[in-house]
Amino acid sequence: MTSNPLAPSWLAVPSDANALAPRVWSHNSLRDLSGELVIGGVSASAIAAQFGTPVYVVDEADARSRARGIRLSFDREFARVGGRAKVYYAGKAFLSIEVARWMNEAGLNIDVASGGELAVALAAGVDPAHLGLHGNNKSPAEIDRAVSIGIGAIVIDSEIEIARVAAAAAHHGRRQSVRLRINSGVHASTHEYLATAREDQKFGIPLVDAAALVALIRAEPALEFLGLHSHIGSQIFESSGFAEAARRLLALHAELLADGPVPELNLGGGFGIAYTSVDEPLSIDEIAARFADIVSEGAAELGIPVPVVAIEPGRSIIGPSTTTLYTVGTIKDVLVAGTAVRKYVSVDGGMSDNIRPSLYRAEYSVRLANRSSTAPAELVRIAGKHCESGDIVVHADYLPGDVASGDLVGVPATGAYGWAMASNYNYLGRPPVVAVVDGLARIIVRGETEEDLLRRDAGVRVGSAKGAQS
């Protein structure tokens, strides 16, 4: 079959529209002998029958393996250069009590960015000393709670927070470890909304102001300066941005050593993953080796010891582990510009369970999940059911042309910022999150029903929600 002229230039017609690209799907995703998608030993149709659709399906063994793997890679590579690494899981990507436990059991610390995320980590039994609190506008209540429980580190994001954290620490009789987030000015190669270290930015302190703020931190008896923090963005495929950010922060790190200890350097996260068959992110082993070389060589040039380096992966751990299953509803062929046909395949979810394609035109892949097919591949656009023309789940991919109403489709790599950014738009309940492992499936986050949504509406009178679905 020839390519559809409406297809993006990067998207080739697949030789097999049933094949699962290994980089994109979780490690324990495959097709069984009947051609059905099986994840963690559980078939797509069995998952849909038990939990309904849409449903986020987390390959538990895959998520745990990625967490352990990134810790072991960074431990090994920094030991090679005479240093040490600390790995924090970036909870903002997706955090539930079960996931927090998995990360804790894999030996990772956890970053949280709100009081709610902090509550989840504590409910999972994570030692507060293994937590870090982020955020450009942490409330006094969030700061006070974090200090009161003995959180391991708080990231200072603006000058006003120095006094707030110091006051909370003094009130609770603690000496609070803090990092100072630096806006390095490095422009990461990613979407504008995912780049977090440009000059016109809400995050961090400009490099030129950093030394003065570190002096203010050191002047507070209730604060302990742990080191600098940098995060240049997300979904980054190359290492040059990290290298430049590390170079700039190491120079400042060396300068600050003249007036006191600077035990750590946090270089953040943002490692990219494959969402489509053409994406080629660096492997974790490659990333760890490059980080270790960048930091050790930079430290040697400056004549300083290799600091303890902290990193904050989130997407690269949980993203590839998760697939969202949908049920196909309507299908229509749309003639575009009178020359080519785009097949719109609408599903029972959309921007309420994955806002990323609408928010910054993120690309995803799709495959039939309940069966395989020998029908010729056709270009499809997977659309959601919401009242927005921008409600698209997959902008472009190929499916067998006999895709039909009632089929299940799977969209892989939805673990990061799917459930975490989900909404109740059009009054849809957020889908459940199901973990699969060794042929067993269990809910780790319950889905929402209409009854759940109505329960929050203060206008509901007794008995008026009788007809709501449960």
Side-chain angles (χ1 to χ4, degrees):
M1 174 187 171
T2 58
S3 176
N4 188 312
L6 298 176
S9 59
W10 56 265
L11 180 62
V13 180
S15 57
D16 180 2
N18 304 293
L20 309 179
R23 284 197 301 265
V24 179
W25 294 79
S26 72
H27 290 146
N28 300 296
S29 296
L30 53 83
R31 290 199 183 275
D32 64 14
L33 294 176
S34 72
E36 183 168 4
L37 174 67
V38 175
I39 306 173
V42 187
S43 69
S45 58
I47 294 168
Q50 183 174 357
F51 304 105
T53 59
V55 57
Y56 304 101
V57 184
V58 185
D59 182 341
E60 179 179 341
D62 182 85
R64 288 178 178 270
S65 173
R66 291 177 192 274
R68 287 193 304 271
I70 200 165
R71 179 181 60 80
L72 292 172
S73 290
F74 273 83
D75 283 349
R76 180 186 66 250
E77 293 302 329
F78 273 86
R80 173 176 61 83
V81 298
R84 186 165 66 87
K86 294 172 69 172
V87 180
Y88 286 80
Y89 172 68
K92 63 179 182 175
F94 171 60
L95 195 66
S96 72
I97 292 172
E98 276 287 275
V99 168
R101 287 174 181 151
W102 300 347
M103 298 304 111
N104 189 45
E105 290 167 4
L108 274 61
N109 303 296
I110 298 178
D111 271 328
V112 297
S114 71
E117 290 182 358
L118 176 59
V120 172
L122 294 175
V126 180
D127 183 345
H130 296 159
L131 300 175
L133 178 63
H134 277 269
N136 68 298
N137 187 28
K138 297 177 283 292
S139 71
E142 288 172 324
I143 291 171
D144 185 80
R145 183 184 187 191
V147 171
S148 72
I149 63 169
I151 199 164
I154 295 178
V155 178
I156 300 283
D157 197 88
S158 58
E159 182 175 352
I160 195 171
E161 287 190 336
I162 297 174
R164 289 179 178 178
V165 178
H171 174 73
H172 291 287
R174 296 183 179 275
R175 192 157 191 257
Q176 179 62 55
S177 294
V178 298
R179 295 185 170 98
L180 181 64
R181 179 158 180 171
I182 302 299
N183 184 340
S184 64
V186 173
H187 292 204
S189 298
T190 187
H191 189 281
E192 178 184 357
Y193 290 0
L194 302 179
T196 55
R198 295 176 176 176
E199 292 84 355
D200 190 2
Q201 181 60 248
K202 73 174 185 175
F203 292 111
I205 303 299
L207 274 166
V208 294
D209 299 330
L213 266 64
V214 171
L216 292 178
I217 291 170
R218 284 172 165 164
E220 294 284 357
L223 300 183
E224 178 183 4
F225 180 57
L226 194 58
L228 304 171
H229 177 279
S230 169
H231 182 71
I232 63 172
S234 298
Q235 189 56 5
I236 302 168
F237 280 11
E238 44 76 36
S239 61
S240 60
F242 291 115
E244 179 59 20
R247 186 189 68 78
R248 297 182 189 187
L249 264 71
L250 277 168
L252 176 58
H253 179 100
E255 178 186 335
L256 296 173
L257 281 170
D259 296 315
V262 189
E264 296 186 8
L265 177 63
N266 190 319
L267 294 176
F271 316 142
I273 66 170
Y275 286 103
T276 73
S277 59
V278 299
D279 292 335
E280 296 184 2
L282 296 173
S283 72
I284 290 302
D285 285 345
E286 289 177 292
I287 292 170
R290 292 189 188 189
F291 267 51
D293 290 340
I294 288 165
V295 173
S296 62
E297 291 167 7
E301 290 174 5
L302 293 164
I304 61 174
V306 175
V308 174
V309 170
I311 60 162
E312 301 168 353
R315 182 197 313 267
S316 55
I317 293 173
I318 202 66
S321 74
T322 303
T323 298
T324 305
L325 295 179
Y326 300 97
T327 299
V328 173
T330 60
I331 300 173
K332 62 179 70 172
D333 290 338
V334 176
L335 185 63
V336 179
T339 59
V341 171
R342 191 191 311 276
K343 184 183 291 291
Y344 275 82
V345 177
S346 294
V347 296
D348 54 350
M351 63 192 302
S352 59
D353 58 75
N354 189 352
I355 191 66
R356 295 185 69 251
S358 301
L359 185 61
Y360 27 71
R361 214 185 186 285
E363 300 287 357
Y364 283 87
S365 307
V366 65
R367 286 292 180 263
L368 279 177
N370 58 309
R371 63 186 177 92
S372 295
S373 171
T374 58
E378 290 189 29
L379 182 71
V380 300
R381 175 164 286 175
I382 306 298
K385 64 177 293 175
H386 295 287
C387 294
E388 300 282 343
S389 59
D391 175 31
I392 303 299
V393 178
V394 180
H395 292 285
D397 202 352
Y398 286 91
L399 283 181
D402 64 351
V403 57
S405 178
D407 274 334
L408 297 176
V409 293
V411 177
T414 54
Y417 309 104
W419 186 92
M421 298 176 77
S423 74
N424 295 127
Y425 183 44
N426 286 156
Y427 231 74
L428 264 65
R430 287 171 291 185
V433 184
V434 172
V436 290
V437 64
D438 297 332
L440 299 175
R442 72 186 190 284
I443 282 185
I444 61 173
V445 180
R446 290 193 304 273
E448 292 175 321
T449 65
E450 290 178 6
E451 183 180 348
D452 292 328
L453 301 183
L454 288 169
R455 192 178 293 120
R456 296 165 53 196
D457 193 320
V460 174
R461 294 184 175 88
V462 175
S464 65
K466 185 176 180 181
Q469 294 178 0
S470 60

